[in-house]
Amino acid sequence: MEKIGRNEPCWCGSGRKYKQCHEAFDEKIKHFELQGHMVPERCMIKNPEQLAGIRESGLVNIAVLDYVAENIREGMTTEEIDRLVESKTRQLGGIPAPLGYEGYPKSVCTSVNHEVCHGIPSEAVVLKSGDIVNVDVSTIYKGYYSDSSRMFRIGRVDEEKSRLVRVAKECMEKGIAAVKPWTFLGDMSDAVNAHARENGCSIVIDMGGHGVGLEFHEDPFVSYVAPKGTEMLMVPGMVFTIEPMVNLGKPDIYLDDENGWTIYTEDGKPSAQWEVTVAVTEDGCEILAY
């Protein structure tokens, strides 16, 4: 960290003197760093103005997913879902973050059954009774980013898939409950992974969550298989996603070589995922998008 004089303005942009603002905070982080732990850089700590902007973006993201929930149905194509997301996001003054991101061609990701993530909407994919689908919405609003996803069950879904959807949501909720300042991302991931294992499911190893807010994808990478006491220290002001990908079978996955985006389970068994954006607070976390 760059050395700042105690009477100089704080690095966070508050306008207060460093000694009255983040000096004690930085000293606490330094203590963990000297013990060998991974600690966040200052650029990962959002100030109140930035948090307010991400919170506003999150409200748009929530409204878009609510709109999808009201309209998704059997017989709908995933391309229709894309059009719903595109129109509602822009109606609310936002921009769909996925559109054009590193060449991604659509405004939303729609992952059906054994698609783990990054399913590309298509007129050829028609939702049918028994399907489960993840709709992953990400929004830019007034320059701030938010990201969340929900699972939807289409028509009559069998008990096995229904249980997977429930367990995946519980895994996310276990992760949210484990977010506490001055503990580690590994503490959160261990809670997620333990719940999946207890229910006979597996967590995808090579995909995870990410920081978000000022950009679509920021540091840190958020694993959901790391052990307790490892990974980055969580401190107030950090913003990241909790989005474990839970497989009914093994955790192994593969990439669609043709489209370069969609991830599938290697064994062909279904996968489920719920996602929230959270901000670490002084006593836990605030959910900014769900």
Side-chain angles (χ1 to χ4, degrees), residues 231-245:
E231 301 297 302
M232 187 170 285
L233 179 72
M234 294 186 284
V235 303
M238 284 178 66
V239 178
F240 54 86
T241 64
I242 299 177
E243 50 175 313
M245 299 164 207

Side-chain angles (χ1 to χ4, degrees), residues 263-283:
I263 303 290
Y264 302 88
T265 59
E266 196 169 274
D267 58 15
K269 293 187 177 181
S271 183
Q273 177 194 33
W274 297 76
E275 176 184 12
V276 290
T277 295
V278 301
V280 183
T281 64
E282 295 293 339
D283 58 1

Side-chain angles (χ1 to χ4, degrees), residues 37-70:
H37 294 292
M38 191 187 313
V39 299
E41 297 178 18
R42 285 174 178 161
C43 63
M44 297 183 201
I45 312 302
K46 273 59 175 184
N47 63 33
E49 179 184 350
Q50 291 167 336
L51 287 170
I54 302 166
R55 192 177 291 114
E56 274 195 292
S57 179
L59 291 175
V60 174
N61 213 71
I62 292 164
V64 172
L65 272 168
D66 286 346
Y67 186 61
V68 171
E70 292 166 6

Side-chain angles (χ1 to χ4, degrees), residues 57 60 64 85-97 138-142:
S57 179
V60 174
V64 172
V85 169
E86 166 83 15
S87 62
K88 190 65 174 180
T89 302
R90 295 194 186 279
Q91 178 191 331
L92 295 171
I95 300 168
S138 309
T139 300
I140 309 169
Y141 183 73
K142 297 182 180 178

Side-chain angles (χ1 to χ4, degrees), residues 50-114:
Q50 291 167 336
L51 287 170
I54 302 166
R55 192 177 291 114
E56 274 195 292
S57 179
L59 291 175
V60 174
N61 213 71
I62 292 164
V64 172
L65 272 168
D66 286 346
Y67 186 61
V68 171
E70 292 166 6
N71 288 278
I72 196 168
R73 67 187 188 282
E74 184 179 347
M76 173 180 276
T77 68
T78 53
E79 178 68 27
E80 287 179 87
I81 297 173
D82 186 72
R83 290 198 290 269
L84 287 177
V85 169
E86 166 83 15
S87 62
K88 190 65 174 180
T89 302
R90 295 194 186 279
Q91 178 191 331
L92 295 171
I95 300 168
L99 186 60
Y101 178 77
E102 295 185 354
Y104 187 77
K106 298 293 181 177
S107 296
V108 68
C109 296
T110 52
S111 304
V112 183
N113 296 330
H114 71 297

